[in-house]
Amino acid sequence: MSTSSSPVYLIGVDVGTGSARAALVTGKGEVLQTCVKPIQTWNTQPNYYEQSSDDIWSAVCECVKNVTSGYAKEQIKGIGFDATCSLVVLDGQMQPLTVCPSSKGNQRNVILWMDHRAEEEARFINATHHQMLNYVGGSISLEMEVPKLLWLKRNMHDAVWTKVGAFYDLPDYLTFRATGADCRSICSAVCKWNYDAEDRCWSEDFLQTIGLVDDLRVDSWRLIGTHVANPGAPIDGGLSRQAAQELGLNPGTAVASSMIDAHAGALALLGCEGPPGRAGDGSGLTSKMAIICGTSSCHMSLTKRPVLAPGIWGPYKHAIIPDLYLNEAGQSATGVLIDYMLQTHPCYDQLLKEHGGSNGKIYAFLNTFLDELAKKQGESSVHRLTIDLHVWPDFHGNRSPLADPNLKGMISGLTMTKDVQNLALIYLALMQALAYGTRHILQVLEASGREPITSILLCGGLSKNSLFVQTHADICSVPVLLPSEPEAVLLGSAMMGAYAAGLYDSLELAASGMGGSAKVVKPDLSDSTRDYHERKYRVFQRMYLDQRGYERIMKG
């Protein structure tokens, strides 16, 4: 890392589904200031979710001005951007162009990542069985960008398709607004646009097969990206004069090529180390799995060689660290599913009234309740309380590794009891099921040739739940690391800014230099606990097979 007599700062910017955030971060990874501003989403018909790029940029500018107030502009050396993988559409003058069939203005020019209008287009693309689909677990998601492009061509041809000046992934749009330079990040390109990272080019054969190549190939792929850079690479010229004025920074401040939001979080997590000499401190980026766990969960790990695993996205070369391959798995519903199970139980209102009026306080109460119940019943482990209660957690389909959005949730062992103990046991069984889902992902990765994972790093809302953390450690039989800096996504963006500014010689060094330390949660590796989880995991797998069996019976 470069050193100087005066302190230096970086800015991390994160645009999530509902808000824009910014953080002021030191060169060693300490988050000093944060600010958050809401952004607007339009949902005027089912499956359609739209935003405004101008609204998003305005929120970003407000956040950056807020966190840098009182600091000398000269000390702010770099800025990094991450965002959701939403599609931004601009016209020939690089102004917003509507993606809403019913809107008269052009304000709503962003198709949000969670928009599901392109279901038919995704089905059409998957029916081609093109080899590029091998890099997205065998089937493209309707949440990715190419199905959305095809939808616009088919459904808004005259209003949009013939007038387009550029399509951007939202993270790349932010760097465009910051610099005026048309630089795309390979993170978005390979993960969400079916870019060929091995040959570093757009796949003409794939785009020809789905009927888009003639539209997108013009002017050296100008509409979707002529220049594709590695994440964190400095963009020529840095902050433009106009953007510097809007952000309250100096022109020429280093701007990094962007990342998708979850990937920025993974960068920060993978750079984090446990206490020296402690089990599970993790040596190197490729021995760890990062799980960004909130409403849903995203499981990310890096390898030196490509690993093609069924139902798991990737391998994405260069997506986070140059020359390393990313595998990306996930669970469609985690935090939101725990909330659902809590809120639909008969004793929810009673618990809400008695324990502070928030779900977080109820979870803390349930964790203590289960510990006391285990002691009362003479159990050596809290896990043994669910010996006859089992959950299959795919209430919102399975993202990985089965890649089946039509799978349903299952519970075996229900009774008519509706007291707090009943809810606590269902809550525990669900926590176990989510951890078995992570174990299933690890198992498929290893069966596909991946080196074993030796530690898991967690961030997000569920990382604050001690039962969720310990259950993952016990069921996956590896230490779980909890970073001392909870703002992993913002920190990851700041790491990119630090590399772009030349504070570190590589993005990997920026990650390790700013990643900080972590608390290590060790797994219970006793024979009795491991044997118990082996048996429950067999039940877990059997529940999936049973569901498939029910389908075969009903189809006749």
Side-chain angles (χ1 to χ4, degrees):
M1 178 180 170
S2 302
T3 57
S4 62
S5 55
S6 61
V8 296
Y9 305 106
L10 298 313
I11 298 170
V13 173
D14 164 51
V15 177
T17 302
S19 64
R21 302 189 302 154
L24 186 73
V25 184
T26 69
K28 293 184 179 179
E30 182 186 0
V31 176
L32 301 178
Q33 306 280 347
T34 62
C35 178
V36 58
K37 295 293 177 184
I39 54 179
Q40 185 172 0
T41 299
W42 288 270
N43 174 218
T44 51
Q45 57 181 305
N47 295 324
Y48 284 59
Y49 294 88
E50 294 148 357
Q51 294 182 335
S52 160
S53 60
D54 283 347
D55 175 54
I56 290 168
W57 182 249
S58 175
V60 166
C61 293
E62 195 172 344
C63 289
V64 171
K65 285 181 177 178
N66 183 292
V67 299
T68 57
S69 177
Y71 291 84
K73 294 178 182 179
E74 295 74 22
Q75 293 178 315
I76 298 168
K77 300 299 184 182
I79 183 169
F81 294 91
D82 73 71
T84 65
C85 44
S86 300
L87 178 68
V88 182
V89 183
L90 303 178
D91 65 17
Q93 286 69 51
M94 305 305 278
Q95 296 301 309
L97 183 61
T98 186
V99 295
C100 176
S102 61
S103 175
K104 294 181 180 178
N106 283 319
Q107 184 180 17
R108 292 150 66 171
N109 69 314
V110 179
I111 302 180
L112 192 60
W113 67 271
M114 62 190 287
D115 185 289
H116 279 195
R117 71 182 69 180
E119 182 176 1
E120 183 179 329
E121 286 70 27
R123 192 160 43 241
F124 165 77
I125 294 168
N126 287 327
T128 68
H129 302 292
H130 194 278
Q131 63 178 7
M132 288 303 295
L133 300 178
N134 293 337
Y135 294 90
V136 289
S139 64
I140 200 168
S141 167
L142 76 172
E143 294 177 357
M144 293 180 176
E145 308 299 17
V146 173
K148 292 172 180 171
L149 295 180
L150 191 56
W151 185 93
L152 287 170
K153 181 178 180 179
R154 288 178 172 182
N155 295 276
M156 300 186 72
H157 187 274
D158 293 339
V160 176
W161 196 254
T162 59
K163 300 177 181 178
V164 167
F167 295 108
Y168 280 98
D169 213 55
L170 181 54
D172 290 335
Y173 171 78
L174 297 176
T175 60
F176 166 70
R177 281 296 292 259
T179 64
D182 188 21
C183 176
R184 313 301 179 101
S185 170
I186 200 168
C187 177
S188 292
V190 68
C191 294
K192 304 301 176 183
W193 294 71
N194 301 96
Y195 183 79
D196 184 345
E198 288 288 352
D199 294 324
R200 293 201 78 119
C201 66
W202 295 103
S203 173
E204 292 198 28
D205 185 68
F206 172 66
L207 294 170
Q208 177 76 50
T209 301
I210 64 174
L212 288 178
V213 70
D214 291 338
D215 304 276
L216 301 179
R217 188 171 46 191
V218 295
D219 296 340
S220 301
W221 308 96
R222 175 180 55 82
L223 295 181
I224 58 174
T226 300
H227 177 59
V228 179
N230 289 338
I235 297 175
D236 289 347
L239 269 188
S240 69
R241 190 165 298 277
Q242 179 180 341
Q245 186 175 4
E246 293 169 338
L247 293 164
L249 301 174
N250 279 339
T253 301
V255 178
S257 180
S258 68
M259 268 193 196
I260 301 166
D261 51 357
H263 299 59
L267 174 68
L269 288 179
L270 294 168
C272 180
E273 291 291 341
R278 292 282 297 276
D281 60 339
S283 55
L285 299 177
T286 59
S287 64
K288 311 168 186 175
M289 172 172 278
I291 307 180
I292 298 89
C293 46
T295 300
S296 60
S297 290
C298 189
H299 301 60
M300 298 196 184
S301 64
L302 299 173
T303 58
K304 294 178 180 177
R305 292 182 298 275
V307 175
L308 280 161
I312 294 173
W313 294 344
Y316 297 136
K317 193 174 185 180
H318 315 299
I320 295 181
I321 297 290
D323 298 318
L324 294 183
Y325 293 86
L326 168 68
N327 284 109
E328 181 181 347
Q331 292 168 303
S332 300
T334 48
V336 69
L337 179 56
I338 300 170
D339 286 345
Y340 169 80
M341 298 289 268
L342 185 77
Q343 291 163 4
T344 56
H345 194 276
C347 72
Y348 173 68
D349 289 339
Q350 173 196 338
L351 286 178
L352 200 61
K353 191 180 299 182
E354 294 176 356
H355 298 285
S358 75
N359 286 355
K361 291 181 180 178
I362 294 176
Y363 295 141
F365 164 75
L366 290 174
N367 292 351
T368 302
F369 180 92
L370 286 164
D371 285 336
E372 292 173 352
L373 183 62
K375 291 174 185 174
K376 184 178 176 181
Q377 295 189 4
E379 297 290 359
S380 58
S381 167
V382 70
H383 293 302
R384 302 186 74 86
L385 294 171
T386 58
I387 194 167
D388 56 0
L389 184 61
H390 311 282
V391 175
W392 179 263
D394 290 328
F395 286 53
H396 193 57
N398 183 284
R399 186 182 299 167
S400 306
L402 301 172
D404 185 349
N406 298 313
L407 279 176
K408 305 295 189 290
M410 302 167 70
I411 304 177
S412 172
L414 289 174
T415 69
M416 290 179 65
T417 309
K418 53 184 181 181
D419 59 11
V420 172
Q421 180 170 319
N422 176 260
L423 173 57
L425 293 176
I426 292 173
Y427 164 77
L428 173 59
L430 177 57
M431 288 289 192
Q432 293 167 336
L434 294 172
Y436 292 133
T438 295
R439 177 174 169 177
H440 192 192
I441 290 166
L442 292 173
Q443 185 179 42
V444 168
L445 283 169
E446 289 187 25
S448 302
R450 199 210 189 285
E451 295 290 323
I453 296 289
T454 59
S455 62
I456 291 173
L457 295 107
L458 296 181
C459 76
L462 285 173
S463 67
K464 300 177 178 69
N465 188 313
S466 59
L467 180 63
F468 180 87
V469 173
Q470 189 66 58
T471 300
H472 262 74
D474 294 348
I475 286 173
C476 298
S477 299
V478 295
V480 170
L481 278 62
L482 301 175
S484 54
E485 176 48 65
E487 293 288 3
V489 177
L490 285 166
L491 180 57
S493 279
M495 290 171 174
M496 292 188 287
Y499 169 48
L503 271 63
Y504 293 90
D505 292 334
S506 71
L507 190 56
E508 187 169 351
L509 288 172
S512 60
M514 298 173 68
S517 61
K519 171 189 174 185
V520 177
V521 177
K522 294 183 178 180
D524 177 356
L525 298 178
S526 64
D527 289 343
S528 61
T529 297
R530 296 189 74 173
D531 176 70
Y532 178 80
H533 285 307
E534 285 297 323
R535 294 172 185 272
K536 283 213 70 159
Y537 186 57
R538 283 166 56 194
V539 174
F540 178 80
Q541 294 174 304
R542 178 69 176 266
M543 292 178 83
Y544 164 68
L545 296 175
D546 286 345
Q547 185 171 157
R548 289 295 192 221
Y550 303 156
E551 290 174 4
R552 288 192 294 272
I553 291 170
M554 295 310 297
K555 287 177 181 176

